[in-house]
Amino acid sequence: MKNKLSEIKLNLCEAYFLIIKKTFKTEINIYELCKLSKISIEDAESILPKFQRDYNVFFLKILLAKLDQETLNELKEEISYDTVSSIYEKILEGIILRFEKYLLYQPAFKILSEGFDLRAKFFCDLFKNNQSFMFDLLNIVEGSENNCKLLLKSVALNLVYSRTVDVFLKEENSNLDTTIRYLDQYLHEIEDLGYMFGIIKK
């Protein structure tokens, strides 16, 4: 039953972002979602939030959770054989990999984040989710250590990430050149403080 609900969520989520990409609209009703995803109204109603006019945040959270888990799994696999790269380089690699996952959905993210108010709603409200990702990333890169220390580090990295998201949403071309350049710059800006407070280790 749990697997079926997860499959329904993912299918509806993919349909939702596909509709945004094709139509450039963010108000999508259940009938459109069901028609494209071939999910019955009854099944859709069993997982969609009730008394809510739009499903933007609902589906955004589902998509980001899926992409973030894929990112962490791939990063863990990649660095398991990496004995050369520094902690800094592995952190940079992990965040870049996250943006690479997001790149396919960049047009939809841009539409959702148009205007300051919407951007704040859809991305700043996900601050805790982003921090959780950074916490898991650090745990993979640095190994298990004191949770309080990892929490402080994840807050710092999340601030860097939040600044970089703004660049990502303004990226004109279908690549990450500018995003990666600014990400590296922002990470270097906190590097000295990171060494001082243990946010980033050499």
Side-chain angles (χ1 to χ4, degrees):
M1 183 64 178
K2 185 177 180 181
N3 289 338
K4 181 183 178 182
L5 289 177
S6 296
E7 185 177 348
I8 292 172
K9 280 185 179 180
L10 289 175
N11 287 340
L12 289 172
C13 184
E14 288 294 334
Y16 171 80
F17 282 99
L18 186 58
I19 292 171
I20 290 178
K21 187 176 180 179
K22 287 184 175 181
T23 65
F24 303 101
K25 66 179 184 178
T26 58
E27 292 186 10
I28 301 165
N29 62 53
I30 189 172
Y31 303 103
E32 293 174 282
L33 289 172
C34 290
K35 182 178 180 180
L36 184 60
S37 64
K38 295 180 171 54
I39 300 291
S40 71
I41 296 289
E42 293 76 15
D43 283 343
E45 287 178 337
S46 70
I47 65 103
L48 290 173
K50 295 178 175 59
F51 311 112
Q52 189 170 316
R53 295 185 62 184
D54 65 64
Y55 308 117
N56 298 331
V57 174
F58 177 75
F59 283 123
L60 188 60
K61 286 183 177 180
I62 292 172
L63 178 64
L64 296 186
K66 173 180 176 288
L67 298 179
D68 285 352
Q69 191 56 57
E70 290 176 0
T71 299
L72 293 170
N73 290 342
E74 287 187 28
L75 178 66
K76 190 173 184 179
E77 180 69 19
E78 286 182 14
I79 68 173
S80 63
Y81 304 102
D82 186 351
T83 58
V84 178
S85 299
S86 66
I87 293 294
Y88 180 93
E89 290 168 337
K90 291 176 181 178
I91 290 173
L92 180 63
E93 178 184 354
I95 301 176
I96 290 173
L97 182 58
R98 191 187 198 198
F99 278 118
E100 287 175 347
K101 294 285 184 182
Y102 287 7
L103 191 58
L104 180 63
Y105 300 91
Q106 187 187 47
F109 290 165
K110 286 183 177 182
I111 293 167
L112 284 174
S113 66
E114 284 179 356
F116 176 79
D117 291 339
L118 285 178
R119 183 166 299 177
K121 177 181 177 182
F122 295 126
F123 290 93
C124 293
D125 281 356
L126 297 172
F127 189 88
K128 290 183 180 178
N129 302 64
N130 291 327
Q131 186 173 321
S132 176
F133 172 85
M134 294 304 169
F135 184 93
D136 292 338
L137 182 150
L138 285 166
N139 202 23
I140 291 172
V141 169
E142 297 188 6
S144 181
E145 59 174 90
N146 184 280
N147 281 349
C148 291
K149 191 175 181 181
L150 280 183
L151 184 61
L152 291 173
K153 294 179 182 182
S154 67
V155 170
L157 288 180
N158 194 22
L159 293 173
V160 168
Y161 171 77
S162 297
R163 293 178 69 190
T164 313
V165 163
D166 195 54
V167 178
F168 173 75
L169 292 172
K170 294 175 181 176
E171 190 91 65
E172 293 296 330
N173 301 314
S174 298
N175 60 58
L176 294 172
D177 292 348
T178 304
T179 300
I180 292 173
R181 185 170 71 251
Y182 275 92
L183 171 62
D184 194 34
Q185 175 186 320
Y186 296 152
L187 279 175
H188 277 300
E189 287 176 2
I190 69 162
E191 194 171 19
D192 289 340
L193 286 175
Y195 293 151
M196 184 181 300
F197 296 109
I199 295 171
I200 300 172
K201 297 191 296 186
K202 292 182 179 180

